[in-house]
Amino acid sequence: MRVVIAEDSVLLREGLVRLLDDAGIDTVATVGDGPGLLGIVDEHEPDLAIVDVRMPPSFTDEGLRAALAVRERRPGTPILVLSQYVEERYATDLIGGGAEGVGYLLKERVADVADFIDAVRRIAEGGTVIDPEVIGQLLGRRRNGDPLEALTPREREVLALMAQGRANAAIAADLVVTEGAVEKHISNIFMKLGLQASAHGGHRRVMAVLAYLGRDTG
């Protein structure tokens, strides 16, 4: 796997390079600002771009805007955005054009190396990984009439884990149930959200995540 990193903190940037290297993942280029990200993605066509939300010069959302520009110029490029704080709109903005190959994590998650590397690999393979704290906040502010209100508490748990990029086996292990039970819950989720059985299974998972994060699934 070939990765590029856009992060203005030299310490974190070099730490990421070392963690990835130890996991057998090659960092082919690094930059410290948003515009630089576009250049290294064009040059190296990486399997994944890891991007800090806030970078010079204003330290607001330069990294996010650069990530969105990458997705516009090179659709399908896997992107993992790292943020210091939970900012829901960044997660929803990022997946607005599709949730495949998208991740949004708090920087503190990097400290759990095994989970972080697992997230990197899943996003590079086209998965979706959204930070549990973001998911918790989104769930907490659901309004009446939301289609997700039809889901049972267990179905919500399953969908939350789907939004974190968990496969069925991992969801079953986390909830201490069988994979068959998870498959039944997911089938019920698809039905309650109006996601047609004729659609590709992976696509329906993405659409369910989009619905969970409050986007219009069309």
Side-chain angles (χ1 to χ4, degrees):
M1 188 192 306
R2 301 166 65 255
V3 171
V4 298
I5 299 173
E7 166 61 58
D8 65 291
S9 167
V10 175
L11 182 61
L12 179 56
R13 188 167 68 229
E14 293 306 313
L16 288 170
V17 171
R18 176 63 65 87
L19 289 178
L20 294 170
D21 183 63
D22 288 346
I25 298 171
D26 185 21
T27 302
V28 294
T30 64
V31 292
D33 56 61
L37 173 67
L38 300 176
I40 59 175
V41 168
D42 285 342
E43 179 180 355
H44 296 283
E45 300 183 0
D47 300 304
L48 173 72
I50 299 177
V51 188
D52 182 16
V53 167
R54 301 186 177 191
M55 289 190 288
S58 69
F59 294 95
T60 55
D61 61 354
E62 287 86 355
L64 177 71
R65 286 189 281 110
L68 294 175
V70 166
R71 295 279 285 191
E72 183 176 349
R73 287 167 57 164
R74 293 183 174 275
T77 300
I79 299 282
L80 168 56
V81 168
L82 298 178
S83 180
Q84 189 70 37
Y85 310 103
V86 175
E87 298 181 84
E88 296 168 16
R89 72 179 182 86
Y90 291 160
T92 53
D93 285 349
L94 185 64
I95 67 168
E100 298 97 335
V102 168
Y104 179 90
L105 293 175
L106 293 179
K107 288 185 176 181
E108 64 189 56
R109 306 299 177 198
V110 177
D112 190 333
V113 177
D115 281 354
F116 176 71
I117 295 299
D118 179 60
V120 165
R121 295 189 185 282
R122 282 187 279 138
I123 296 164
E125 292 170 358
T128 306
V129 179
I130 306 298
D131 197 279
E133 286 197 29
V134 176
I135 291 171
Q137 287 196 16
L138 289 164
L139 184 60
R141 64 175 177 78
R142 286 293 173 188
R143 300 183 300 273
N144 291 333
D146 190 296
L148 297 181
E149 291 295 328
L151 302 184
T152 66
R154 178 61 89 183
E155 288 164 357
R156 286 168 176 259
E157 287 182 300
V158 171
L159 183 52
L161 291 169
M162 287 168 61
Q164 294 176 38
R166 301 291 184 185
N168 288 6
I171 294 173
D174 284 349
L175 299 181
V176 196
V177 297
T178 66
E179 281 194 61
V182 170
E183 290 170 1
K184 183 176 180 179
H185 287 312
I186 292 175
S187 178
N188 287 338
I189 290 167
F190 290 158
M191 178 185 67
K192 291 178 180 180
L193 294 182
L195 301 175
Q196 298 300 316
S198 59
H200 184 272
H203 178 67
R204 285 200 294 168
R205 289 179 81 97
V206 169
M207 299 302 283
V209 169
L210 289 171
Y212 187 80
L213 293 172
R215 305 298 296 196
D216 180 5
T217 60

